[in-house]
Amino acid sequence: AQTPNCNRNVQPWVLPPRSMLQATWLTLHRQTLPCGSFRACASTCATPRLRSYVPSAGTASSGSLVRCDASQAALYEQILSDRGKTGAKAGFGVLNSDGSLAGPWNAWVGSPTIGAAIERVAYHCRHSSKCPMDLFEVGILTVSAAWKCQFEWFAHEKLALKAGVTPDAIESIRCCSDASEAAGMTDEQRAVYAYALELHRQKRVRDKTHAATLSAVGSEQALIDLVLTMGLYSQIAMQLNAFSIPLPPSEPLPFEEPSIE
């Protein structure tokens, strides 16, 4: 197998100026809403439960670091190439300071056969979907809020802003507002939010909700793509929560961590 290129600079967790202004606005705006502001910084999260998979022998010098084998290294490079572009556009990095992949991607490298399959599904959900991108992100954010998934929200809040979802709409989703009371949404976004919320709360969707969302997304394939995408991100949220995947250092938590006895 080809040896991956390990002589790279780790991309810092830095927002571009426009996204930084939007994120700052969101943080201040949350403090004025009844559901409350951020309650803690990322350092208060539980300790991560996975080892870090890194491609370089030189960095794998402790028990928490594992050098990738050939299949893991190939997947690492695939994720870095594709997700690095997505992260750069939205303003977040995909590498941790130890050289491991951030978010859900380190776990995929840890189980490379299944991880590679999930990676391809995730790629096509984003790049082959017929669902309009703002509606796509509304669906993902609703999944993130339902699971109180810190990292998923952290990443997709930025992607939603870039796709044209307003800060008011994003905050309404974070607070799990009823669809009729959600602020700042287009009619199409509200229909998709109502659909996603109903599916999570009731585990079913009423005929009129289905019909309204079908009209909003524009085609049956677009609605299928939306549901497949929400299913994928439910799986990712489970993974992120189960393995206590952290946010970047000092990044505020979108949700209060549930108390587990």
Side-chain angles (χ1 to χ4, degrees):
Q2 184 179 358
T3 302
N5 176 20
C6 305
N7 297 320
R8 62 169 65 87
N9 293 322
V10 174
Q11 184 179 352
W13 295 89
V14 177
L15 295 171
R18 181 172 180 271
S19 294
M20 183 178 293
L21 290 173
Q22 291 173 318
T24 301
W25 191 96
L26 275 168
T27 302
L28 295 173
H29 183 58
R30 286 186 182 105
Q31 297 173 1
T32 69
L33 294 178
C35 63
S37 60
F38 291 144
R39 298 178 181 269
C41 68
S43 61
T44 65
C45 281
T47 302
R49 293 167 175 160
L50 298 181
R51 295 175 296 172
S52 296
Y53 293 87
V54 295
S56 171
T59 59
S61 58
S62 72
S64 63
L65 296 177
V66 180
R67 182 183 181 182
C68 293
D69 63 23
S71 60
Q72 291 171 329
L75 179 56
Y76 179 105
E77 292 294 338
Q78 175 67 44
I79 293 170
L80 188 61
S81 174
D82 181 64
R83 299 313 187 279
K85 296 173 185 176
T86 301
K89 289 178 182 178
F92 61 89
V94 299
L95 287 176
N96 294 315
S97 60
D98 62 3
S100 64
L101 293 167
W105 306 300
N106 181 62
W108 297 359
V109 172
S111 181
T113 300
I114 297 176
I118 296 172
E119 188 277 330
R120 287 293 84 190
V121 171
Y123 176 89
H124 285 292
C125 280
R126 174 161 295 277
H127 298 291
S128 303
S129 175
K130 298 298 184 183
C131 184
M133 193 52 60
D134 62 323
L135 308 183
F136 175 94
E137 293 295 345
V138 166
I140 294 173
L141 287 181
T142 308
V143 171
S144 303
W147 280 96
K148 297 187 182 298
C149 187
Q150 313 287 11
F151 191 96
E152 192 167 82
W153 184 275
F154 161 78
H156 284 274
E157 176 182 71
K158 298 169 177 57
L159 291 166
L161 284 167
K162 187 172 180 61
V165 184
T166 68
D168 281 332
I170 290 171
E171 184 61 13
S172 293
I173 298 171
R174 188 183 73 89
C175 295
C176 295
S177 302
D178 288 341
S180 62
E181 299 174 356
M185 292 186 179
T186 66
D187 291 342
E188 292 79 11
Q189 290 168 1
R190 191 180 306 278
V192 167
Y193 179 52
Y195 184 100
L197 205 60
E198 188 171 304
L199 184 57
H200 279 86
R201 288 177 175 176
Q202 306 298 330
K203 318 307 177 191
R204 301 290 187 278
V205 175
R206 293 172 295 175
D207 287 343
K208 68 176 184 179
T209 307
H210 171 86
T213 308
L214 180 61
S215 176
V217 299
S219 71
E220 184 170 84
Q221 183 176 343
L223 183 53
I224 293 170
D225 291 346
L226 174 66
V227 174
L228 293 176
T229 297
M230 290 194 294
L232 168 70
Y233 280 92
S234 294
Q235 178 271 323
I236 292 174
M238 290 176 69
Q239 171 196 319
L240 290 164
N241 287 359
F243 298 138
S244 298
I245 304 301
L247 297 185
S250 302
E251 187 71 29
L253 297 179
F255 307 104
E256 183 178 12
E257 278 290 304
S259 177
I260 302 176
E261 297 181 0

XYZ file of all heavy atoms in Angstrom, residues 168-247:
608
model
N -31.835 32.774 13.293
C -33.073 32.564 14.054
C -33.629 31.161 13.844
O -34.086 30.507 14.791
C -34.137 33.588 13.634
C -33.908 34.952 14.271
O -33.325 35.020 15.358
O -34.326 35.957 13.655
N -33.601 30.694 12.604
C -34.085 29.347 12.331
C -33.216 28.302 13.009
O -33.722 27.335 13.593
C -34.112 29.108 10.822
N -31.911 28.490 12.941
C -30.985 27.552 13.586
C -31.232 27.499 15.080
O -31.261 26.422 15.688
C -29.534 27.950 13.261
C -29.242 27.682 11.776
C -28.546 27.214 14.155
C -27.922 28.233 11.292
N -31.430 28.647 15.689
C -31.673 28.672 17.135
C -33.003 28.011 17.486
O -33.117 27.320 18.505
C -31.638 30.112 17.644
C -31.777 30.241 19.146
C -30.660 29.558 19.926
O -29.637 29.189 19.325
O -30.819 29.374 21.147
N -34.012 28.193 16.656
C -35.295 27.528 16.898
C -35.141 26.018 16.868
O -35.738 25.304 17.682
C -36.325 27.969 15.843
O -36.660 29.330 15.982
N -34.335 25.510 15.936
C -34.100 24.066 15.867
C -33.342 23.599 17.095
O -33.669 22.564 17.681
C -33.343 23.706 14.580
C -34.161 24.081 13.343
C -33.017 22.208 14.549
C -33.400 23.964 12.029
N -32.323 24.348 17.501
C -31.544 23.953 18.680
C -32.429 23.837 19.921
O -32.250 22.943 20.753
C -30.417 24.951 18.936
C -29.432 24.505 20.038
C -28.375 25.554 20.299
N -28.903 26.688 21.013
C -28.939 26.780 22.345
N -28.484 25.792 23.094
N -29.421 27.865 22.912
N -33.384 24.730 20.015
C -34.292 24.728 21.169
C -35.455 23.749 21.000
O -36.304 23.655 21.886
C -34.843 26.131 21.388
S -33.601 27.350 21.850
N -35.506 23.031 19.866
C -36.592 22.087 19.587
C -37.962 22.762 19.651
O -38.939 22.201 20.172
C -36.532 20.884 20.533
S -35.051 19.870 20.320
N -38.035 23.990 19.138
C -39.312 24.699 19.074
C -40.287 23.938 18.191
O -39.887 23.240 17.258
C -39.103 26.105 18.494
O -38.187 26.847 19.252
N -41.573 24.078 18.474
C -42.567 23.519 17.570
C -42.436 24.189 16.206
O -42.073 25.366 16.114
C -43.978 23.738 18.123
C -44.279 22.853 19.326
O -43.568 21.842 19.503
O -45.200 23.190 20.089
N -42.759 23.459 15.170
C -42.585 23.990 13.817
C -43.395 25.257 13.597
O -42.941 26.188 12.918
C -42.958 22.928 12.793
N -44.573 25.320 14.171
C -45.427 26.501 13.984
C -44.855 27.735 14.660
O -45.210 28.872 14.308
C -46.827 26.225 14.525
O -46.781 25.954 15.925
N -43.970 27.549 15.637
C -43.399 28.658 16.387
C -41.957 28.974 15.995
O -41.366 29.923 16.504
C -43.451 28.348 17.889
C -44.869 28.145 18.405
C -44.901 27.696 19.861
O -43.810 27.467 20.426
O -46.006 27.573 20.419
N -41.377 28.184 15.109
C -39.986 28.391 14.720
C -39.836 29.703 13.958
O -40.647 30.028 13.091
C -39.503 27.225 13.869
N -38.790 30.443 14.287
C -38.571 31.756 13.684
C -37.609 31.657 12.505
O -36.767 30.772 12.441
C -38.005 32.721 14.732
N -37.742 32.605 11.584
C -36.745 32.795 10.548
C -36.681 31.740 9.463
O -35.677 31.651 8.758
N -37.719 30.956 9.290
C -37.697 29.878 8.301
C -38.513 30.240 7.065
O -39.546 30.908 7.170
C -38.260 28.583 8.884
C -37.400 27.956 9.956
S -38.067 26.338 10.467
C -36.829 25.849 11.682
N -38.064 29.758 5.919
C -38.908 29.805 4.727
C -40.013 28.765 4.879
O -39.953 27.886 5.757
C -38.088 29.492 3.474
O -37.642 28.125 3.542
C -36.881 30.422 3.339
N -41.010 28.838 4.032
C -42.090 27.857 4.081
C -41.544 26.443 3.857
O -41.983 25.484 4.511
C -43.151 28.167 3.025
C -43.941 29.435 3.341
O -43.907 29.880 4.509
O -44.582 29.972 2.420
N -40.590 26.316 2.945
C -40.010 25.005 2.649
C -39.206 24.481 3.843
O -39.289 23.290 4.182
C -39.124 25.095 1.406
C -39.869 25.359 0.107
C -40.264 26.815 -0.080
O -39.775 27.677 0.702
O -41.041 27.095 -1.003
N -38.444 25.343 4.469
C -37.672 24.925 5.642
C -38.592 24.518 6.785
O -38.324 23.522 7.478
C -36.744 26.057 6.081
C -35.596 26.329 5.122
C -34.873 27.624 5.433
O -35.203 28.341 6.374
N -33.874 27.948 4.608
N -39.661 25.249 6.970
C -40.609 24.913 8.041
C -41.259 23.558 7.779
O -41.463 22.766 8.708
C -41.677 26.001 8.166
C -42.537 25.864 9.437
C -43.580 26.990 9.506
N -42.959 28.296 9.399
C -42.395 28.931 10.415
N -42.375 28.385 11.613
N -41.859 30.129 10.231
N -41.582 23.269 6.518
C -42.185 21.974 6.182
C -41.223 20.833 6.487
O -41.619 19.807 7.058
C -42.596 21.958 4.720
N -39.948 20.998 6.113
C -38.954 19.961 6.387
C -38.719 19.823 7.877
O -38.611 18.705 8.413
C -37.638 20.280 5.643
C -36.495 19.395 6.148
C -37.827 20.094 4.145
N -38.666 20.938 8.589
C -38.478 20.884 10.045
C -39.648 20.169 10.711
O -39.448 19.323 11.593
C -38.320 22.300 10.585
C -38.154 22.367 12.089
C -37.184 21.607 12.741
C -38.967 23.196 12.861
C -37.033 21.672 14.114
C -38.816 23.276 14.232
C -37.857 22.506 14.859
O -37.712 22.568 16.228
N -40.878 20.476 10.281
C -42.057 19.809 10.839
C -41.996 18.305 10.586
O -42.326 17.498 11.468
C -43.327 20.404 10.235
N -41.571 17.932 9.399
C -41.445 16.518 9.027
C -40.418 15.821 9.922
O -40.686 14.765 10.508
C -41.025 16.441 7.565
C -40.944 15.057 6.969
C -41.980 14.565 6.186
C -39.826 14.254 7.150
C -41.908 13.306 5.605
C -39.738 13.002 6.582
C -40.775 12.527 5.811
O -40.693 11.273 5.251
N -39.227 16.415 10.031
C -38.161 15.801 10.820
C -38.524 15.735 12.292
O -38.257 14.737 12.978
C -36.865 16.590 10.629
N -39.160 16.788 12.784
C -39.556 16.823 14.189
C -40.619 15.776 14.478
O -40.554 15.053 15.485
C -40.078 18.229 14.511
C -40.003 18.720 15.958
C -38.560 18.748 16.446
C -40.624 20.111 16.055
N -41.604 15.671 13.598
C -42.675 14.689 13.776
C -42.126 13.265 13.716
O -42.521 12.401 14.516
C -43.737 14.894 12.702
C -44.987 14.065 12.896
C -46.088 14.486 11.931
O -46.454 15.693 11.930
O -46.573 13.619 11.182
N -41.226 13.017 12.807
C -40.642 11.683 12.692
C -39.877 11.300 13.945
O -39.949 10.149 14.407
C -39.722 11.632 11.467
C -39.090 10.285 11.121
C -40.153 9.211 10.905
C -38.222 10.418 9.874
N -39.154 12.241 14.528
C -38.401 11.944 15.748
C -39.313 11.812 16.971
O -39.089 10.959 17.824
C -37.345 13.027 15.994
C -36.108 12.845 15.181
N -35.977 13.324 13.895
C -34.947 12.200 15.466
C -34.795 12.999 13.431
N -34.150 12.314 14.347
N -40.323 12.655 17.038
C -41.191 12.633 18.220
C -42.207 11.493 18.176
O -42.448 10.827 19.182
C -41.932 13.974 18.348
C -41.043 15.134 18.774
C -41.834 16.437 18.802
N -41.045 17.553 19.317
C -41.482 18.814 19.379
N -42.706 19.115 18.948
N -40.702 19.763 19.860
N -42.805 11.274 17.002
C -43.895 10.307 16.886
C -43.457 8.970 16.287
O -44.229 8.017 16.289
C -45.014 10.907 16.030
C -45.524 12.258 16.495
C -46.130 12.219 17.883
O -46.677 11.201 18.307
N -46.021 13.322 18.608
N -42.251 8.944 15.725
C -41.736 7.742 15.035
C -42.552 7.382 13.793
O -42.381 6.309 13.221
C -41.685 6.516 15.978
C -41.171 6.806 17.383
C -39.827 7.511 17.380
C -39.396 7.844 18.801
N -38.230 8.764 18.836
N -43.387 8.276 13.381
C -44.204 8.151 12.180
C -44.404 9.550 11.600
O -44.148 10.552 12.263
C -45.586 7.526 12.479
C -45.567 6.142 13.095
C -45.093 5.075 12.121
N -45.248 3.738 12.674
C -44.392 3.150 13.513
N -43.318 3.818 13.950
N -44.597 1.914 13.950
N -44.927 9.613 10.353
C -45.227 10.892 9.711
C -46.647 10.829 9.165
O -47.011 9.873 8.467
C -44.225 11.190 8.574
C -44.621 12.452 7.827
C -42.810 11.323 9.115
N -47.453 11.835 9.458
C -48.827 11.882 8.963
C -48.847 12.157 7.464
O -47.902 12.708 6.908
C -49.608 12.977 9.697
C -49.846 12.697 11.184
C -50.454 13.894 11.868
N -49.529 15.029 11.859
C -49.843 16.248 12.303
N -51.072 16.499 12.757
N -48.950 17.220 12.272
N -49.938 11.771 6.823
C -50.064 11.959 5.375
C -49.918 13.423 4.984
O -49.246 13.752 3.992
C -51.420 11.431 4.889
C -51.484 9.908 4.883
O -50.409 9.269 4.936
O -52.609 9.369 4.823
N -50.528 14.319 5.736
C -50.460 15.737 5.354
C -49.050 16.295 5.551
O -48.624 17.170 4.783
C -51.490 16.554 6.134
C -51.242 16.691 7.623
C -52.294 17.610 8.248
C -52.035 17.861 9.723
N -53.052 18.773 10.322
N -48.332 15.794 6.546
C -46.951 16.216 6.742
C -46.083 15.717 5.600
O -45.228 16.440 5.075
C -46.413 15.689 8.082
O -47.300 16.072 9.139
C -45.021 16.226 8.377
N -46.312 14.464 5.192
C -45.584 13.901 4.053
C -45.842 14.719 2.790
O -44.895 15.059 2.058
C -46.010 12.448 3.840
C -45.480 11.846 2.572
N -44.232 11.265 2.483
C -46.036 11.763 1.327
C -44.037 10.843 1.249
N -45.110 11.119 0.523
N -47.101 15.035 2.540
C -47.454 15.761 1.321
C -46.824 17.150 1.300
O -46.317 17.599 0.260
C -48.976 15.865 1.195
N -46.854 17.830 2.438
C -46.281 19.179 2.505
C -44.769 19.152 2.274
O -44.217 20.021 1.583
C -46.589 19.805 3.865
N -44.105 18.136 2.815
C -42.652 18.055 2.665
C -42.273 17.616 1.263
O -41.277 18.088 0.704
C -42.063 17.099 3.719
O -42.542 17.491 5.008
C -40.547 17.157 3.723
N -43.049 16.738 0.681
C -42.810 16.339 -0.708
C -42.874 17.553 -1.624
O -42.028 17.733 -2.514
C -43.837 15.298 -1.126
C -43.732 14.760 -2.557
C -42.399 14.079 -2.803
C -44.889 13.793 -2.845
N -43.845 18.423 -1.405
C -43.956 19.646 -2.193
C -42.777 20.579 -1.923
O -42.244 21.211 -2.837
C -45.267 20.351 -1.861
O -45.369 21.591 -2.526
N -42.342 20.640 -0.657
C -41.253 21.553 -0.285
C -39.925 21.167 -0.914
O -39.180 22.025 -1.398
C -41.116 21.592 1.235
N -39.610 19.877 -0.931
C -38.300 19.447 -1.455
C -38.307 19.310 -2.969
O -37.246 19.309 -3.600
C -37.819 18.136 -0.801
C -37.657 18.313 0.701
C -38.761 16.967 -1.108
N -39.492 19.153 -3.576
C -39.598 19.234 -5.021
C -39.728 17.936 -5.784
O -40.121 17.949 -6.955
N -39.406 16.792 -5.162
C -39.536 15.518 -5.876
C -39.484 14.369 -4.879
O -39.009 14.520 -3.740
C -38.414 15.336 -6.906
O -37.164 15.103 -6.265
N -39.962 13.227 -5.331
C -39.925 12.050 -4.469
C -38.486 11.647 -4.161
O -38.171 11.286 -3.023
C -40.663 10.893 -5.127
C -40.760 9.645 -4.255
C -41.697 8.614 -4.852
O -41.229 7.837 -5.717
O -42.883 8.584 -4.464
N -37.603 11.709 -5.158
C -36.210 11.348 -4.901
C -35.581 12.286 -3.878
O -34.815 11.843 -3.018
C -35.387 11.367 -6.183
C -33.937 10.928 -5.943
C -33.110 10.850 -7.203
O -33.657 10.818 -8.306
N -31.802 10.827 -7.048
N -35.904 13.569 -3.947
C -35.355 14.509 -2.973
C -35.803 14.167 -1.558
O -35.020 14.267 -0.606
C -35.762 15.935 -3.330
N -37.061 13.733 -1.409
C -37.546 13.358 -0.080
C -36.889 12.068 0.394
O -36.522 11.938 1.563
C -39.067 13.204 -0.096
C -39.731 12.884 1.246
C -39.327 13.889 2.320
C -41.247 12.834 1.093
N -36.728 11.108 -0.503
C -36.004 9.884 -0.151
C -34.585 10.236 0.308
O -34.104 9.736 1.341
C -35.956 8.916 -1.339
C -37.352 8.385 -1.658
C -35.000 7.753 -1.065
C -37.445 7.616 -2.966
N -33.929 11.108 -0.451
C -32.563 11.508 -0.093
C -32.521 12.181 1.270
O -31.595 11.962 2.061
C -31.995 12.450 -1.155
C -31.735 11.759 -2.481
O -31.741 10.506 -2.518
O -31.539 12.466 -3.485
N -33.509 13.005 1.560
C -33.575 13.671 2.864
C -33.691 12.658 3.992
O -32.977 12.742 5.003
C -34.759 14.644 2.897
C -35.043 15.298 4.257
C -33.903 16.222 4.661
C -36.369 16.066 4.193
N -34.599 11.687 3.843
C -34.801 10.695 4.900
C -33.557 9.814 5.066
O -33.130 9.503 6.193
C -36.051 9.844 4.617
C -36.179 8.709 5.629
C -37.302 10.722 4.657
N -32.943 9.409 3.956
C -31.710 8.629 4.042
C -30.611 9.416 4.741
O -29.841 8.863 5.546
C -31.252 8.214 2.645
C -32.133 7.210 1.895
C -31.599 6.983 0.484
C -32.230 5.892 2.648
N -30.549 10.702 4.471
C -29.542 11.554 5.111
C -29.797 11.674 6.607
O -28.855 11.579 7.421
C -29.529 12.942 4.462
O -29.151 12.814 3.089
C -28.558 13.870 5.163
N -31.044 11.865 7.004
C -31.347 11.955 8.435
C -31.033 10.636 9.133
O -30.552 10.628 10.271
C -32.803 12.363 8.647
C -33.086 13.804 8.255
S -34.685 14.407 8.861
C -35.819 13.380 7.930
N -31.294 9.522 8.458
C -30.932 8.231 9.037
C -29.439 8.094 9.231
O -28.958 7.620 10.269
N -28.666 8.523 8.234
C -27.213 8.490 8.354
C -26.746 9.327 9.539
O -25.914 8.872 10.346
C -26.574 9.028 7.070
C -25.068 9.317 7.156
C -24.267 8.034 7.268
C -24.615 10.151 5.971
N -27.285 10.533 9.668
C -26.816 11.409 10.739
C -27.345 10.999 12.108
O -26.750 11.357 13.129
C -27.111 12.871 10.400
C -26.068 13.405 9.438
C -26.259 13.346 8.056
C -24.856 13.892 9.906
C -25.284 13.782 7.176
C -23.880 14.330 9.037
C -24.092 14.278 7.678
O -23.099 14.698 6.812
N -28.410 10.233 12.160
C -28.803 9.612 13.424
C -27.752 8.603 13.850
O -27.367 8.532 15.023
C -30.163 8.925 13.290
O -31.195 9.865 13.065
N -27.267 7.811 12.901
C -26.193 6.858 13.187
C -24.934 7.584 13.645
O -24.279 7.180 14.626
C -25.907 6.016 11.948
C -24.776 5.004 12.088
C -23.423 5.575 11.717
O -23.288 6.373 10.796
N -22.408 5.193 12.449
N -24.592 8.664 12.975
C -23.395 9.421 13.350
C -23.561 10.041 14.733
O -22.622 10.043 15.542
C -23.097 10.494 12.288
C -22.663 9.825 10.978
C -22.018 11.460 12.766
C -22.487 10.785 9.809
N -24.750 10.554 15.031
C -24.992 11.130 16.356
C -24.860 10.076 17.448
O -24.281 10.339 18.520
C -26.386 11.770 16.402
N -25.379 8.878 17.209
C -25.220 7.790 18.177
C -23.745 7.508 18.427
O -23.305 7.348 19.577
C -25.913 6.529 17.670
C -27.420 6.595 17.646
S -28.158 5.102 16.936
C -27.762 3.905 18.196
N -22.982 7.453 17.365
C -21.552 7.177 17.472
C -20.834 8.277 18.250
O -20.051 8.004 19.167
C -20.970 7.069 16.069
C -19.467 7.002 15.983
C -18.977 7.284 14.579
O -19.573 6.821 13.613
N -17.916 8.051 14.464
N -21.098 9.531 17.909
C -20.441 10.650 18.585
C -20.778 10.677 20.072
O -19.912 10.930 20.919
C -20.857 11.965 17.919
C -20.306 12.203 16.506
C -21.083 13.320 15.816
C -18.825 12.542 16.549
N -22.037 10.419 20.400
C -22.443 10.427 21.807
C -21.897 9.219 22.567
O -21.438 9.342 23.703
C -23.966 10.458 21.910
C -24.550 11.804 21.540
O -23.830 12.743 21.225
N -25.873 11.907 21.561
N -21.945 8.039 21.944
C -21.489 6.821 22.621
C -19.999 6.876 22.946
O -19.558 6.399 23.998
C -21.792 5.597 21.765
N -19.214 7.477 22.048
C -17.766 7.520 22.223
C -17.283 8.834 22.812
O -16.080 9.074 22.899
C -17.068 7.244 20.893
C -17.371 5.880 20.326
C -17.622 5.723 18.974
C -17.432 4.756 21.143
C -17.904 4.468 18.437
C -17.721 3.503 20.622
C -17.960 3.356 19.268
N -18.211 9.704 23.225
C -17.870 10.981 23.872
C -16.862 11.781 23.041
O -15.829 12.226 23.540
C -17.320 10.750 25.287
O -18.270 10.148 26.114
N -17.163 11.947 21.757
C -16.257 12.680 20.880
C -16.308 14.165 21.244
O -17.377 14.775 21.249
C -16.645 12.484 19.404
C -16.690 10.990 19.051
C -15.679 13.246 18.502
C -15.397 10.248 19.252
N -15.173 14.770 21.545
C -15.176 16.156 22.029
C -15.236 17.188 20.914
O -14.944 16.907 19.745
C -13.832 16.253 22.759
C -12.937 15.342 21.972
C -13.815 14.187 21.547
N -15.591 18.393 21.302
C -15.449 19.542 20.435
C -14.005 20.048 20.500
O -13.234 19.629 21.373
C -16.392 20.654 20.888
C -17.889 20.382 20.840
C -18.652 21.652 21.204
C -18.313 19.893 19.478
